[in-house]
Structures are given as C-alpha cells and as structure tokens.
C-alpha cells in the first residue's frame, strides 16, 4: 500500500523487536486492554491494511511519546500513529471527534485565506502590546476554547492575558496578530495533513508580513508545532519559545524576581513540552522560585499524558 512503507520506515517501525515495553508503559493500554501499540506495529508490518487500517486502534493512541522513551528499537510510535491516521483518512476512515466536530470546524474555517477575524477584543487596557515589534505572542485557540468551555470554568483568554502580563513584566511588549490562525496541531495529529499545511502557510505568511523574528507561546501544542513541524511544512525559520523559557531566562539573569509564597505545588509535564520538546527545567525553575515544588510519582520523561488527544475518541481513557 502506497505510503505505508514510508510510514514504517520513517518511524523505524520495521525495527520493532516485539518486546512489549511500549504496551507495558502505555497509559491508553493501561485503561483499555484491547489496545496494544506492539500489536499495532505487528499488524502494520504483517497484515493486509484492509483488515486493520479502518479500525479504532489507530485513534486510541494519545501520541504522548511515553513508549518511545523506553523503546529499544527507537520506534517513533506517536508519529507512526499520526502517519497511519493520514493514510486512514485517505480511505475515508476518521476517529470520532468529540464535541460534535465543532472544534475541527473552526480549524477548517480558518483555512480560508480571505477570512478576516477580530481576535483582539480580549486585550485589556493594562496589557502592553506592540504595533510593530518583532516578538509575537502566539495566542493559539485560547479565545475559541474560552467561548466553548467558559460554562465549565475554563478561562482561556485569562491565560493569554496573564502570559502578556508576565512578558511585560520582563520588558517584552509583544505583538498579537488579529488574523492569526490555529497552528494546526490537532488537524496534523488527526491525519488531516493538507488542512494543517494550509494553516501553516497562512500563519507563515502573516509572520513574514509582520516582520516577526521571535515567537512566544503559552500552549505546549503550539510550541511543538511551530518549533518542530512548521520548518518542514512552511519553511518557518524564526526562534520559537515557550513562555516558561522566556521567564526562566529572565529569572536566571536576575531581571525577574518572584515573591515566594507558602503554596505547595506540583508540575504536570505536558507531553508536547516535555517528551516532544525536551523542556522540563524551565517551568520547574519558575515554580521552585515562587513556591514549594513537589515532584509527582510520574515526572519528566515518565510523566503521564493528561488523557486527551486531538479531540478524538474521548472516552474511558481520557476520563479515567
Ligand atoms: S517498545 Fe519498541 S521494540 Fe518494543 S514492542 Fe514496542 S515498538 Fe516494538
Ligand atoms: S504514544 Fe503514548 S498513548 Fe500512544 S502508544 Fe505510546 S505510550 Fe501509548
Ligand atoms: S475530556 Fe473529553 S469531553 Fe471532557 S473536555 Fe476533554 S475532550 Fe471534551
């Protein structure tokens, strides 16, 4: 089958030793005994795709990379699942999208190059933003999630406001773009490669037009996507930083002082910032300076996925 050999080769799935370590540490397999990354690789290597490519297993993987951290064959199972999803989509098979496809719909609406948005209403007077600076704060879909989940207590725009307040505190006055698009992370990992590339190209054109040389984001998924996927998708060459990295640099340089509180806190490593992006220390440096930081049982490379991935197959694993 066209594309399957490439997915097997590029993600090193041919080198699977069938040791089963991936299944043993997989948070999805822990809650769903019917799912096994080892068996998925085995079937992809040995079986006719018609017998497995349209099945649910492809969509059960959380793409958290936990298995790859231990795999003796360095099989990139997360990326393998992503690439198999793209092949499955070509055959008309997709995962079940949570929330009635509403979230993927706004990601598709943003692929219209003529779309004009007003994404800046949430910027309050106390926030300093620039009209012509070369550092961009990439907001991502926070305003959309805010509108969708506010009744459940999620205040997405407050996250964006606080990120800008913190950047202002260390002397950065960022730009915020009115026509920024979704980074495309969820479409890419759900196998909609063309949709992802369309968003990447539109964003790259906006960044170039605005003269952006550095991008700061507070979303771990945007961070991974802009830093690791945009260079090959649209040739993006600018520096990409997570907001915790900017603040930790300022803390280390002495230009940020944090008042220590009596709070006891733990940090959950997001898969995209930690295992995907390799950043474990910056958030901890900030938290340790401001509070008593305690480590959880599963931390850094061994951290557990939060349980949901690209808004598909939300079920017993996500909610367990
Ligand atoms: S851990 Fe790696 S080598 Fe072992 S079964 Fe899983 S994919 Fe194969
Ligand atoms: S990437 Fe995560 S969810 Fe997917 S098979 Fe590996 S450990 Fe399981
Ligand atoms: S856990 Fe599932 S239902 Fe709940 S917000 Fe996430 S995707 Fe939606």
């Amino acid at each position: 089958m066209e594309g399957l050999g490439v997915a097997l080769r590029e993600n090193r799935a041919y080198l699977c030793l069938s040791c089963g370590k991936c299944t043993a540490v997989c948070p999805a397999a822990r809650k769903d005994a019917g799912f096994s990354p080892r068996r998925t690789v085995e079937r992809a290597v040995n079986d006719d795709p018609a017998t497995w490519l349209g099945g649910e297993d492809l969509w059960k993987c959380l793409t958290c990379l936990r298995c790859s951290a231990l795999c003796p064959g360095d099989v990139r199972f997360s990326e393998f699942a992503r690439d198999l999803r793209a092949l499955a989509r070509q055959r008309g098979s997709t995962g079940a999208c949570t929330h009635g496809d509403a979230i993927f719909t706004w990601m598709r609406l943003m692929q219209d190059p003529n779309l004009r948005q007003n994404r800046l209403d949430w910027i309050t007077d106390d926030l300093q933003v620039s009209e012509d600076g070369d550092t961009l704060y990439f907001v991502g879909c926070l305003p959309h999630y805010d509108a969708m989940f506010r009744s459940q207590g999620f205040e997405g725009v407050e996250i964006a406001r606080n990120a800008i307040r913190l950047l202002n505190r260390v002397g950065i006055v960022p730009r915020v773009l009115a026509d920024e698009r979704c980074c495309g992370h969820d479409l890419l990992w759900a196998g909609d490669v063309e949709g992802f590339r369309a968003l990447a190209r539109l964003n790259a054109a906006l960044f170039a037009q605005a003269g952006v040389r550095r991008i700061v984001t507070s979303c771990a998924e945007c961070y991974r996507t802009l830093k690791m996927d945009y260079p090959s998708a649209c040739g993006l060459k600018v520096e990409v930083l997570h907001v915790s990295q900017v603040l930790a640099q300022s803390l280390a340089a002495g230009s940020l002082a944090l008042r220590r509180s009596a709070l006891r806190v733990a940090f959950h490593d997001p898969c995209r910032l930690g295992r995907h992006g390799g950043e474990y220390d910056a958030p901890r440096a900030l938290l340790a300076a401001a509070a008593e930081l305690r480590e959880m049982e599963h931390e850094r490379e061994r951290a557990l996925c939060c349980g949901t991935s690209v808004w598909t197959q939300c079920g017993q694993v996500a909610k367990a």
Side-chain angles (χ1 to χ4, degrees), residues 98-99 149 152 307-308 311-312 314-315 318-319:
T98 316
H99 306 293
F149 296 120
Q152 278 110 301
T308 187
W311 304 103
T312 51
C314 178
K319 290 168 182 160

Side-chain angles (χ1 to χ4, degrees), residues 203-225:
N203 273 327
L206 285 169
F207 301 157
Q209 194 180 24
V212 169
R213 294 162 64 96
R214 178 170 65 157
I215 300 175
V216 181
T217 179
S218 46
C219 169
E221 292 184 342
C222 294
Y223 171 72
R224 189 230 129 95
T225 306

Side-chain angles (χ1 to χ4, degrees), residues 237-317:
K237 290 197 178 90
V238 306
E239 184 183 18
V240 178
L241 292 164
H242 189 258
V243 68
S244 65
Q245 296 173 320
V246 176
L247 298 173
Q249 285 169 6
S250 297
L251 186 71
S255 51
L256 173 67
L258 295 172
R259 196 169 52 236
R260 203 172 164 76
S261 81
L263 282 176
R264 183 179 295 165
V265 298
F267 179 66
H268 170 257
D269 292 276
C271 304
R272 264 48 180 171
L273 185 63
R275 278 186 294 270
H276 284 250
E279 181 58 79
Y280 299 103
D281 294 333
R284 285 181 169 78
L286 295 165
L287 290 172
E292 181 190 342
L293 176 64
R294 292 273 183 100
E295 291 293 355
M296 296 191 285
E297 181 185 351
H298 301 286
E299 37 88 40
R300 295 181 180 258
E301 290 86 352
R302 296 172 58 248
L304 288 174
C305 172
C306 70
T308 187
S309 174
V310 301
W311 304 103
T312 51
Q313 306 298 97
C314 178
Q316 57 168 325
V317 173

Side-chain angles (χ1 to χ4, degrees), residues 166-183:
L166 288 163
L167 291 174
N168 289 167
R169 182 88 174 268
V170 298
I172 296 172
V173 179
R175 289 185 80 162
V176 183
L177 298 178
D179 275 317
E180 177 191 296
R181 300 320 205 253
C182 162
C183 71

Side-chain angles (χ1 to χ4, degrees), residues 2-55:
E2 196 182 346
L4 180 57
V6 176
L8 285 163
R9 195 169 54 249
E10 289 191 347
N11 299 303
R12 302 175 57 85
Y14 278 130
L15 300 174
C16 173
L17 306 169
S18 241
C19 68
K21 282 187 179 177
C22 49
T23 306
V25 300
C26 171
R30 181 192 275 194
K31 294 294 173 190
D32 180 350
F35 175 62
S36 158
R38 181 197 63 76
R39 200 168 52 244
T40 303
V41 172
E42 194 175 75
R43 296 190 78 185
V45 171
N46 297 318
D47 295 356
D48 179 354
T51 65
W52 56 270
L53 196 54

Side-chain angles (χ1 to χ4, degrees), residues 140-191:
C141 287
L142 283 173
H144 299 277
Y145 289 127
D146 186 292
M148 186 136 179
F149 296 120
R150 184 160 276 262
S151 61
Q152 278 110 301
F154 177 71
E155 298 184 15
V157 294
E158 206 48 47
I159 294 172
R161 288 184 188 124
N162 283 332
I164 293 180
R165 284 186 188 111
L166 288 163
L167 291 174
N168 289 167
R169 182 88 174 268
V170 298
I172 296 172
V173 179
R175 289 185 80 162
V176 183
L177 298 178
D179 275 317
E180 177 191 296
R181 300 320 205 253
C182 162
C183 71
H185 171 278
D186 290 359
L187 294 183
L188 176 64
W189 289 86

